[in-house]
Amino acid sequence: MKYFDTLFLSVRNLWRRKLRTTLTIVGVMIGTCAIVVMISLGLAMNKNFLEQVSQMGNIMQIQVYNWNEGGMTPDGKKIEPLTDAKIAEFAKMKGVEGATPIMDLGLKMVVGKYVGWVSILGINPDMFEMLDIPVSTGRGLTGEDTNHAVVGEYAKYNLYNPKSSRWEPAPEDLNLMEEKVTVSWDMSYGEKPYPGQPTPKKKVKPVTIEVVGMVSQSGGQYDYSIVMPLETVKKFKKEQDKFNQGNGGGGGVIIGRAGSSSSGEKEGYYQAIVKVKDIDSVTEVMEQIKAMGYEAYSPIQILEQMKEQSAGLRQILGGIGITAFVIAAIGIANTMYMSIYERTREIGIIKVIGARLGDIRRIFLMEAGWIGIFGGVMGVGLSLLASMALNRFNINLGGQIMWMPQGEGLQSSYIPVWLMLAGAGFSFLASLLAGVLPARRAMRLSVMKALRQE
Amino acid sequence: MSAIIVLDDVYRIFRMGQERICAVNGISLSIEEGEICCLQGPSGSGKSTLLHLMAGLDKPTKGSITIGKTRIDKLNENQLALFRQKYIGFIFQSYYLIPTLTALENVALPLTFCGVPRSKRNKMAKELLEAVGLKDRMKHKPHEMSGGQQQRVSIARAFVNNPKVIFADEPTGNLDTVTTHEMMRLMTSLAYERKQTIVLVTHNPEIADYSTRIVRVRDGRIEKIENGRENGYETGA
Ligand SMILES: Nc1ncnc2c1ncn2[C@@H]1O[C@H](COP(=O)(O)OP(=O)(O)OP(=O)(O)O)[C@@H](O)[C@H]1O
Ligand SMILES: [Mg+2]
C-alpha cells in the first residue's frame, strides 16, 4: 500500500467521526497546553533570574583575584602570582573566550580648573570588546591605542575646583570628550598644600590622555573609572612609584586600591577577568580557576542558588502538566479503541480484499498520529495565547528576586521555539504510543471473527 | 485443463466448550481451471466454512488446500494477504462494501492495497464498474444504491485485480429472480472472458444451471458431485 493512500485513508476515517475526533483533539490540545504552559512558567522563572542577575554584572565574566580565604591552593600549595603567563593559561581553557589582567591605579584627573581622584583600569585593549563595556558615545579601545581612554560617565562627579573657597564641583554638562583631560601621579596636584605639609621636591607635568569614548550604565565599576590600555597604565604606575620614592613615600596621599595593584610580570596582578563563551561553561571554568587557588567570582553563583531554590516549584508545575497530558493520552487510546470496535467488520473486509497487517497497523497509528499532530499544534497555539494572557495580566508565580527592583522585562510565562517544537513533538509521540495497543488489536483480529461481528 | 484448487482430506472442527462441531468433515475435492463450481446443501452443512477455507480466510484443522501451486494452509497471515491480493476475489451475500467510500473507491480499494497508483487504479475500477453497468453510479456511496447495485459493486471489486479464482457466498441471496439471473450472467461472462474460475455457494436451484459442476454437501461431507453444462457462460447466455 502506498504511503499517501494510507495517509488519505486515515484522514478520511477521522473525518467521518468528526465529533469524536474533535473531542479527542481538544483533549490532546488541552493536555499539550497544560504541559507547555507549566514548563513555560518554570522557564520564565529562570529567565527572570538570569535577567536580574545579569544586572549585577556580566554573567559570562569571571572575576579572578590573586588570593583566597585559606591563603593556599586546595591541595595545600602556595598560590602562584597572577602573572601574564597565568592569565594566558586561563585564556586557553576550554570554553574560555579570553582573559585580561585588570590593573587598578588611582591617579589625579585634571580637567581645566577642576581636579579629582580617579581610578584608572588598565586592560588588554584587544579584549575591550569582549568585556561588553557599554560604550554610549565614541568608540571603545583597540589594540593600537596608547594614551587613549574610555571614560565612565560618573567619573566627572569627582571633579571639583580646588582653588575655590567653597565646594565647587564640575558642572553637570561637562563633556570630557571635548575637554583636554590630563592625569597626574602627584596626588596633591593642584591642591592647596596643608599647613606643614612638605612641598614635593619636583613638580610633575600632567600627562594628556585622549578620551575616545564614554561608558554609561555598565552597572559596575566602569561607570566611575577610566579604562586605558594596560601598557600605558603600567607606565603610569612606574612613574608614580618613582615619584613617591622621590618624595620619601609620603608625598602623595594614596587613596583607593592603588597600592594593591601591581604592575609586574613577576609579582603578578591583583585581579583578572576571564570571559567565557557560553553560560554553561561558567561554573566549570570557575571550578578550574578555584582549584589553582584563586578567588573566582561570577553572578552565576547567585543564579544557580536561585534555580536550586525554585527547582521544587518547577517540578510541581511539570507534574501538573504531565498529569493533564496522561489524561489526554488515555483519551486518545480510548478513541482509537472505540473506533476499532466500531470498525471491526470493516477491518475484516479490508483484510479479505488484501490489506496486509502492516497496512492496518499503519492506518490506525496514522489516525492516532494525526490526532497528536493537530492536538499538539493547536495546543501550542493555545499555550501561546495563554502565555500572552499571563504576561499581559502579569500573573507572576516567582522569579522575582526579593531584593531586586521590579524589572521591566519580567515575564510570567516564556515559550521559546524549542518548547513549541517539543510540545508538538511530545504530543505526537504520546499519541502514537496511545495508538499502539489499539492498532495491535486491529491487526491481530482474525478475518472470520471480524466479519462476523455486527 | 488442469486442477486449480485441490482439497485433500480437509477438516474444520470448531470447539464450543466440550462440544466439537465438525463443520467440514473430511472433504477431498479438485476444481479445474475455468470451472463454475456450485456448492449446494442444507443450511448448516458447512458450505460457507468450506468456501472460507478455500479462500484462505480460515485455516483447516487438518488436511491440505492447494491453489495453483501454493499450499495456502501453510501460509502466514501476511503471505495470505499477498496471495489474496493476487489470486482471489470474494463476493459476500451482504456485499460488505465500506460504507464511507464511493462505488469507485470501493472497487479501487483492493488495488490500493496492492500499491497500484491512483490514476491507474481509478481507470481499472471505472472499466469494471462500466462492465457491471454502473457507469452513472461511480460517485455514489453504498447507502445511496439498491441491493442489486451494491452487489454489482462488490462483484466489480472482486474482479478488479483480475484474480484466478472468485469465491461467492450466496451472492444472490438477497436479490429477486430477475436480478439474480442478471448477476449470474454478469459473473459468468466476466469469468469466461478472463478464463477465471468461480466457486459459489447457493440455495437457489436455478443458479445451478449456470455451473459446470454441482457439489452437494451434507454434514460437512461431499454427498454427491453432478456434472452441469459444458460451459457456464454459454448456458447462462
Ligand atoms: N465460528 C464458528 N464457531 C462454531 N461453530 C461454527 C462456526 N462457524 C460455523 N460453525 C458451525 O459449523 C457448521 C457449518 O456452518 P456453515 O456456516 O459452514 O454452514 P452453511 O452450510 O454455510 O449454512 P447456511 O446455508 O445456513 O449458510 C454449523 O453447524 C455452524 O454452527
Ligand atoms: Mg453459509
Side-chain angles (χ1 to χ4, degrees), chain A residues 351 355-362 443-444, chain B residues 77-78 81:
Chain A
K351 276 190 174 174
R356 270 172 282 176
L357 294 181
D359 294 330
I360 290 169
R361 184 181 52 213
R362 266 196 297 281
M443 212 172 78
R444 296 220 171 129
Chain B
E77 252 212 88
N78 263 330

Side-chain angles (χ1 to χ4, degrees), chain A residues 228-257:
Chain A
M228 291 191 73
L230 184 65
E231 291 309 316
T232 313
V233 179
K234 277 184 186 170
K235 249 187 344 225
F236 290 171
K237 165 81 174 155
K238 243 183 231 149
E239 293 291 343
Q240 189 183 43
D241 287 347
K242 228 161 56 192
F243 174 80
N244 286 345
Q245 270 161 20
N247 286 307
V253 184
I254 295 171
I255 314 170
R257 288 166 291 169

Side-chain angles (χ1 to χ4, degrees), chain A residues 58 154 232 239 266 273 288 290 297 326 370 382 403:
Chain A
N58 193 315
Y154 301 144
T232 313
E239 293 291 343
K266 278 179 254 91
I273 292 182
Q288 282 178 344
K290 278 184 175 165
Y297 172 82
V326 166
W370 280 120
L382 189 68
W403 37 271

Side-chain angles (χ1 to χ4, degrees), chain A residues 1-2 4-5 8-9 12-13 16 345-346 349-359 363 443-448 451-452, chain B residues 52 57-58 77-78 81-82 84-85 90 92 96-102 105 109-110 112-118 121 141 157:
Chain A
M1 191 172 183
K2 287 246 180 348
F4 179 79
D5 292 325
F8 185 74
L9 210 64
R12 193 154 189 154
N13 284 334
R16 61 194 243 213
R345 159 88 59 81
E346 210 175 299
I349 297 171
I350 63 173
K351 276 190 174 174
V352 171
I353 62 178
R356 270 172 282 176
L357 294 181
D359 294 330
I363 290 171
M443 212 172 78
R444 296 220 171 129
L445 228 49
S446 89
V447 183
M448 290 320 297
L451 281 179
R452 240 176 235 126
Chain B
H52 294 151
L57 305 184
D58 198 3
E77 252 212 88
N78 263 330
L82 286 173
R84 281 198 292 265
Q85 281 181 4
F90 210 101
F92 297 95
Y96 284 168
L97 301 174
I98 309 281
T100 48
L101 301 182
T102 63
E105 287 164 338
L109 198 55
T112 309
F113 293 121
C114 293
V116 178
R118 192 182 170 83
R121 62 176 193 247
K141 298 262 172 79
R157 183 179 66 183

Side-chain angles (χ1 to χ4, degrees), chain B residues 24-45:
Chain B
V24 174
N25 197 6
I27 284 185
S28 298
L29 177 68
S30 166
I31 296 169
E32 306 280 308
E33 207 172 342
E35 262 198 276
I36 293 171
C37 178
C38 181
L39 302 178
Q40 287 198 329
S43 186
S45 55

Side-chain angles (χ1 to χ4, degrees), chain A residues 364-436:
Chain A
F364 279 87
L365 281 184
M366 249 179 222
E367 286 182 28
W370 280 120
I371 291 179
I373 288 180
F374 277 119
V377 169
M378 287 165 71
V380 169
L382 189 68
S383 313
L384 289 173
L385 288 181
S387 169
M388 258 165 61
L390 282 170
N391 286 333
R392 179 78 185 271
F393 301 111
N394 215 8
I395 300 160
N396 216 330
L397 265 158
Q400 164 82 32
I401 299 175
M402 287 323 220
W403 37 271
M404 287 294 286
Q406 172 84 40
E408 269 291 294
L410 279 192
Q411 283 179 315
S412 311
S413 158
Y414 168 60
I415 304 181
V417 174
W418 70 258
L419 182 59
M420 294 186 217
L421 295 178
F426 180 74
S427 153
F428 175 64
L429 285 181
S431 304
L432 275 190
L433 214 64
V436 164

